[in-house]
Amino acid sequence: MSKKADMNKGKITRERILGKAAALFNSRGYFGASMSDLMEATGMEKGGIYNHFESKELLALQAFDHAVQTNLEIIMNRVDSREGAVNKLLELTDAFADVVENSPITGGCPLLNSAVESDDAHPVLRERVKVAMSELKDYIERLIDDAVASGEIKLDMPSSDFALIIISTLEGGGMLSRLYGDYGQLQLICKHVKTLVRSQSKV
Amino acid sequence: MSKKADMNKGKITRERILGKAAALFNSRGYFGASMSDLMEATGMEKGGIYNHFESKELLALQAFDHAVQTNLEIIMNRVDSREGAVNKLLELTDAFADVVENSPITGGCPLLNSAVESDDAHPVLRERVKVAMSELKDYIERLIDDAVASGEIKLDMPSSDFALIIISTLEGGGMLSRLYGDYGQLQLICKHVKTLVRSQSKV
Amino acid sequence: MSKKADMNKGKITRERILGKAAALFNSRGYFGASMSDLMEATGMEKGGIYNHFESKELLALQAFDHAVQTNLEIIMNRVDSREGAVNKLLELTDAFADVVENSPITGGCPLLNSAVESDDAHPVLRERVKVAMSELKDYIERLIDDAVASGEIKLDMPSSDFALIIISTLEGGGMLSRLYGDYGQLQLICKHVKTLVRSQSKV
Amino acid sequence: MSKKADMNKGKITRERILGKAAALFNSRGYFGASMSDLMEATGMEKGGIYNHFESKELLALQAFDHAVQTNLEIIMNRVDSREGAVNKLLELTDAFADVVENSPITGGCPLLNSAVESDDAHPVLRERVKVAMSELKDYIERLIDDAVASGEIKLDMPSSDFALIIISTLEGGGMLSRLYGDYGQLQLICKHVKTLVRSQSKV
DNA sequence: ACCGACGGGACCTCCCGTTGTT
DNA sequence: AACAACGGGAGGTCCCGTCGGT
């Protein structure tokens, strides 16, 4: 058997569990998803899963990180493929909407889902979400700053505020889109956000 | 003792349970809150609670309705106290933000919370949320229509779309506000929404 | 149905569980006995048992107290039935041996069993055992003091030391008796202890 | 590398496991100690341990033998270093007490610990304990017989009975000493046993 | 000889819901 | 209408043991 496959067997299984867990927790929530659900999703026995993670909580935390990272990478890759700071912002908007519906991490935006579930019920997860959310916000902020620096747009508010507005709108739109099962609502919100961005552009 | 008092005793207890359950489920979620939690919150024994509600699920559904109605009434009362369609919209914005933080239904916006938890995990609740959300949207839409009819604002989009944008932005802002425990973020979003409304004004 | 029976139903069940648990833990140890074993012994379901005790640990602690109290009462009753301080001491010796073999709390002396199991593995139980053991020791000490005060015996050591010697010898004998399944060994030890007591007698 | 070293590697590892297991089972009991505990104690993985022992049970049995043998050797070495049968008995008493506290096999006397845990819960181990206990008893009995034969002491009971008394008292003292974490209690018992021995001495 | 991954089951706990009694 | 007692089962965790690979 190949050396590489053997060396990585544990790691691979671990990643496989994390992938399934990320989608499961994202869809059904931390309390709504059981380890038995995860057994079914992975096809593994409990013993096998617990060999890789010491508790449901720790597994869920890492699954959250995995989910966020997966989605962020997709978004960032698309953003990076664009030229021009404003274009990058517009692409981010579309990419965000797309990820909510089409990410391998099913169940919508992990940031939103985990923020809502954790705020009163799971302080540890909540801290994790805060960090990840701030990461996203900082990323958007930098894109905005770049656009300002290049003279493409001119803000009448701190870039930090504008980033917050963008996130709020998109997350709210994602929630509605998934509630109604109607992607059109998110696309509409998306269009609105892009209008917001463009309206900051210099004449 | 008076007959009337007796007839109401059940109702009163029922309302008391609903109030506690609404806050409980809103804070910890349907799966995160247990009947034991509710026993503790109400000070009643299990038998007493189940005397009024057939199951946890039915109780949760009614608690959700109770939560939404409570918040909507607060908002509508404040909106009604204002004159002028645009003023009503601006008041709705502030009222919404206020309710997220200060409602007797603790835990943030029930529409957001239940939408996020139910979308993949609880179809029955999800339908309930859809109905309630549409009620809110219709209400806002009517306010917008009034403002258009009175000539206070002029829309370059269907009022239904604008209502969606308002809801999305506010719900997203409420999520961020609660995640960070920083009401300032919601106020900022609030200001942005009010700017959106005003920017639709003529002249 | 009788009023009295109803009023005490919970208490009665609780006592029944405690009785079975006391014998079970005493025989198989805290770690060796499972809640499933207790289900079988009581004929109750887990839910029913956990309605009366919040955890295995708390149940075990109360079962230990129950076991000790049961045995101590048997011994003290027999001791009380005797006249004369030395006679009381001799009766205590016989009663102790008898209890090791014939108590409703099967499995030998709970003090010995729990002391041995808890010393390195269960600090909370260990404290409980210390208290109970000291109670027994104080009781014996008082009997000895009485015998000295009445002039029946004369000690060349503190009564506290003599009490310790009596307990050590009897507990050690109880262990051997149960290990070999040979009550004769305990009777022999018993005779020895009684000789020790008598040898302290004047003249 | 030398062939001999290789041949011994297995044996050495095996002994290392046995040493750790002996202390572990002696401290926490057969049911209270897990293979995971042993993995931690030995720094080995499960597979490594199971390579040397078929099952937890067989390992525990051999660990018990190892523990008894280790302690007996310590005691016998000290006894052998003395001249005179009575002196040997006195030394045995001190050595026994010392071993309870300072043996590499932590957790007190393995005979007592295993006797108490096994009597109702583990028949196989119980038989092992019986054999080991009888070995100790026979050893003491022989020392007594020697003392009688040499005319140093004169018994008014069978030497077998006296051996039983000595063991009972010391084991009971060891239990108390460890329960209270007070070695002084065992020393007191020790003194008492030595007094017993000396009181059998001829004028 | 030793490790790492995994299975399958038992453990304690807690859950939701029912029943009988007051 | 409310409580107290209980059932039955699912939940997360951890256990012991096996097996393939190095």
Side-chain angles (χ1 to χ4, degrees), chain D residues 8-9 14 33 46 50 57-58 62-63 71 77 102 107 148 168 176 180 192:
Chain D
N8 286 346
K9 196 186 166 200
R14 202 189 126 93
K46 203 164 292 189
Y50 272 90
E57 169 151 12
L58 289 179
Q62 296 184 257
N71 283 359
N77 279 339
N102 303 320
V148 171
S168 288
L176 287 177
Y180 286 105
H192 165 67

Side-chain angles (χ1 to χ4, degrees), chain B residues 8-19 52-53 59 62:
Chain B
N8 285 345
K9 196 188 166 199
K11 275 268 168 75
I12 289 171
T13 304
R14 202 190 125 92
E15 285 305 304
R16 195 164 54 86
I17 296 172
L18 273 183
H52 293 278
F53 303 92
L59 166 54
Q62 298 185 256

Side-chain angles (χ1 to χ4, degrees), chain A residues 29-64:
Chain A
Y30 176 71
F31 296 108
S34 72
M35 294 304 289
S36 300
D37 293 336
L38 189 56
M39 284 170 62
E40 198 176 357
T42 57
M44 291 180 67
E45 296 297 314
K46 288 184 187 179
I49 297 175
Y50 268 89
N51 199 298
H52 294 279
F53 304 92
E54 15 178 324
S55 68
K56 183 190 179 186
E57 169 152 11
L58 257 31
L59 167 53
L61 291 174
Q62 297 185 255
F64 169 74

Side-chain angles (χ1 to χ4, degrees), chain C residues 27-28 31-32 107 112-113 115-116 119-121 126 129-130 133-134 161 164-165 167-169 171-173 175-176 178-181 185 188-189 192 196, chain D residues 27-28 31-32 107 112-113 115-116 119-121 126 129-130 133-134 161 164-165 167-169 171-173 175-176 178-181 185 188-189 192 196:
Chain C
S27 295
R28 318 186 55 109
F31 296 108
L112 174 67
N113 293 339
V116 165
D119 59 3
D120 285 305
R126 182 183 171 188
V129 181
K130 275 191 201 175
M133 184 71 79
S134 297
D161 289 5
L164 217 64
I165 289 169
I167 292 180
S168 288
T169 316
E171 293 288 10
M175 178 271 290
L176 288 176
R178 288 191 51 79
L179 171 62
Y180 287 105
Q185 308 211 358
L188 193 149
I189 293 300
H192 165 65
L196 280 183
Chain D
S27 295
R28 319 187 52 108
F31 296 108
L112 175 67
N113 293 340
V116 165
D119 58 4
D120 286 304
R126 183 182 171 188
V129 182
K130 274 192 201 173
M133 184 71 80
S134 297
D161 289 4
L164 217 64
I165 289 169
I167 292 181
S168 288
T169 315
E171 293 288 11
M175 178 270 289
L176 287 177
R178 289 190 51 80
L179 171 62
Y180 286 105
Q185 307 212 358
L188 193 149
I189 293 301
H192 165 67
L196 280 184

